[in-house]
Amino acid sequence: MSTLEGQSSCDEIKERRSDVENSEDERRRTRIGALKKKALTASNKFTHSLKKRGKRKIDYRVPPVSIEDIRDEEEERAVTEFRHKLIAQDSLPPKHDEYQALLRFLKAREFNIDKAVQMWEDMLQWRKEYGTDSILEDFEFEELEDVLQYYPQGYHGVDKEGRPVYIERLGKAHPNKLMRITTVDRYLKYHVQEFEKALREKFPACSIAAKRRISSTTTILDVQGLGIKNFSKTAADLVAGMAKIDSNYYPETLNQMFVVNAGSGFKMLYATAKKFLDPKTIAKIQVLEPKSLSKLLETIDSSQLPDFLGGSCTCSAEGGCLRSNKGPWNDPDIMKLVHYEEAVIVRQPTRISDKEQNMSSYIRIQPKGTSSDISTAESGSDGDDPSSPLGAKFSGFTPLAPVHEEVSSTIAMLCVVS
């Protein structure tokens, strides 16, 4: 074999070896590339799953809402002074720094700031000892359905001003049977839990629906059939416990109360009880005979009033009006605004009249990320003011659980008298 042929053969061998090596390198690079792609895909999926679990999906399509908030100038000055005194004493946790809450405690103590401070601090101490701040998460009232059979009560609709309507059928209450399925302590915890739940949902929802500041309730007590069977020492203890909680820790939440289907026996008891009630409380109570139920329609629209009280609502699909929990707090779009942690609140105050001691404010609630211009928020607006009427997260409002402070006091007095 010639030298040239030998050289050619060597070149072919080298070329084939090079091809094999290149092919192997290519396969190696392909495998590495595929592995990198798989790893990247897995990583992206894992990261996405974490984001999905760690973040709730936010629907920004809910339109902004403006809410009218009218304040008395004298009251606002008192609230400011009260707030500054609480801050100076380190007695104003951010979650309770809310205009209407402060105003309620001032009203409960006739605007005596020193007495209001003491009442406020007692409230904070009670909340700490009772575990109120975490009661929504820590307490479960499994016996509620059974309890409603022997103590029919609940929220149902709103009045013509947009306030939530709370109803109790006291004549159908059976305290002895009630205590077979729960205890006084557990019911009081439920009472407090419902107060806390409603403070975060019902008043804010009603305010959004009515587009005006809602901070009180309309209550109806149906006393048809009320008699000695409805009262016992246990019942008196339960009512007294609720009365203490309501008056000391959730004051001034009742706008008006109707006692309906009142017979002559109840009127006699009430006449005696009135001697022990505060005149402000008496002014909020109307006692109606069975034939006077139509007066409720002056305050509450027929569609919002149960048929057993003279209205047209039955809530048959929900098992009855007192089991339906009917109200703006069940509207998904309204509740999106109530629960938006990202809500931006802009207060635009305007004086109603130079002669009137009131300021009309419009509070604009909109989720961050909307196209609405929120740059008009002024210094001192609700977006910056911790004592704003709706608070930084539009929180804080009404009591659900059975009787408000004035209501409880009245019932407690009737229990004692009877």
Side-chain angles (χ1 to χ4, degrees), residues 98-382:
E98 193 265 324
Y99 181 84
Q100 289 295 330
L102 295 168
L103 181 59
R104 287 192 293 109
F105 278 78
L106 280 172
K107 286 182 176 180
R109 290 297 178 262
E110 304 288 343
F111 287 88
N112 182 312
I113 291 181
D114 289 336
K115 291 182 179 180
V117 167
Q118 184 60 56
M119 184 183 188
W120 182 272
E121 292 182 338
D122 290 344
M123 177 270 294
L124 292 180
Q125 183 63 31
W126 168 78
R127 292 181 68 90
K128 181 179 179 181
E129 294 174 354
Y130 204 76
T132 308
D133 288 340
S134 61
I135 200 168
L136 291 182
E137 298 79 23
D138 296 344
F139 179 69
E140 185 174 355
F141 198 59
E142 303 96 342
E143 61 266 40
L144 177 59
E145 283 301 313
D146 292 329
V147 164
L148 291 178
Q149 294 181 33
Y150 304 120
Y151 192 173
Q153 44 83 14
Y155 275 98
H156 183 275
V158 296
D159 67 15
K160 291 182 179 180
E161 297 295 321
R163 300 181 187 91
V165 176
Y166 175 75
I167 302 169
E168 284 194 6
R169 305 192 75 177
L170 289 179
K172 293 185 176 295
H174 296 278
N176 291 333
K177 293 181 180 180
L178 181 67
M179 289 300 106
R180 293 173 190 168
I181 55 177
T182 190
T183 66
V184 170
D185 288 343
R186 282 187 61 78
Y187 194 90
L188 290 179
K189 279 186 176 292
Y190 161 70
H191 183 75
V192 172
Q193 186 183 60
E194 290 301 294
F195 253 115
E196 292 297 309
K197 187 184 300 181
L199 285 171
R200 301 183 192 184
E201 295 181 355
K202 286 187 170 60
F203 271 20
C206 289
S207 296
I208 291 172
K211 296 185 179 180
R212 56 182 292 271
R213 189 67 160 90
I214 301 297
S215 57
S216 59
T217 64
T218 292
T219 294
I220 301 173
L221 297 185
D222 184 358
V223 296
Q224 186 174 29
L226 187 68
I228 194 66
K229 67 179 176 62
N230 303 103
F231 298 109
S232 65
K233 182 181 184 305
T234 301
D237 290 343
L238 179 62
V239 172
M242 290 190 292
K244 180 181 178 181
I245 289 171
D246 296 356
S247 60
N248 291 340
Y249 313 126
Y250 301 98
E252 295 293 326
T253 54
L254 177 69
N255 176 68
Q256 187 175 15
M257 181 175 72
F258 295 95
V259 180
V260 302
N261 291 318
S264 57
F266 180 87
K267 287 183 178 180
M268 291 177 61
L269 292 177
Y270 182 59
T272 303
K274 283 173 65 174
K275 300 175 183 178
F276 303 94
L277 295 176
D278 186 274
K280 290 193 306 179
T281 299
I282 295 173
K284 295 179 180 181
I285 301 173
Q286 287 192 52
V287 179
L288 304 179
E289 298 177 351
K291 62 183 180 181
S292 302
L293 275 179
S294 59
K295 284 188 173 293
L296 291 175
L297 296 175
E298 297 175 8
T299 302
I300 305 168
D301 188 80
S302 177
S303 65
Q304 301 291 302
L305 192 64
D307 57 351
F308 60 81
L309 292 174
S312 60
C313 189
T314 61
C315 293
S316 56
E318 290 79 21
C321 289
L322 294 188
R323 292 179 180 270
S324 69
N325 197 32
K326 175 180 178 177
W329 46 88
N330 284 320
D331 185 312
D333 288 338
I334 287 177
M335 295 313 294
K336 284 177 185 177
L337 284 173
V338 170
H339 290 304
Y340 267 133
E341 294 186 1
E342 297 84 0
V344 176
I345 303 168
V346 181
R347 184 174 174 224
Q348 298 171 314
T350 55
R351 190 179 298 278
I352 296 177
S353 166
D354 289 337
K355 296 180 181 180
E356 296 182 13
Q357 297 299 309
N358 292 328
M359 292 290 288
S360 177
S361 306
Y362 286 88
I363 304 147
R364 186 173 178 81
I365 304 173
Q366 60 190 48
K368 287 181 180 177
T370 59
S371 58
S372 302
D373 181 15
I374 60 173
S375 62
T376 57
E378 302 174 0
S379 175
S381 71
D382 283 352

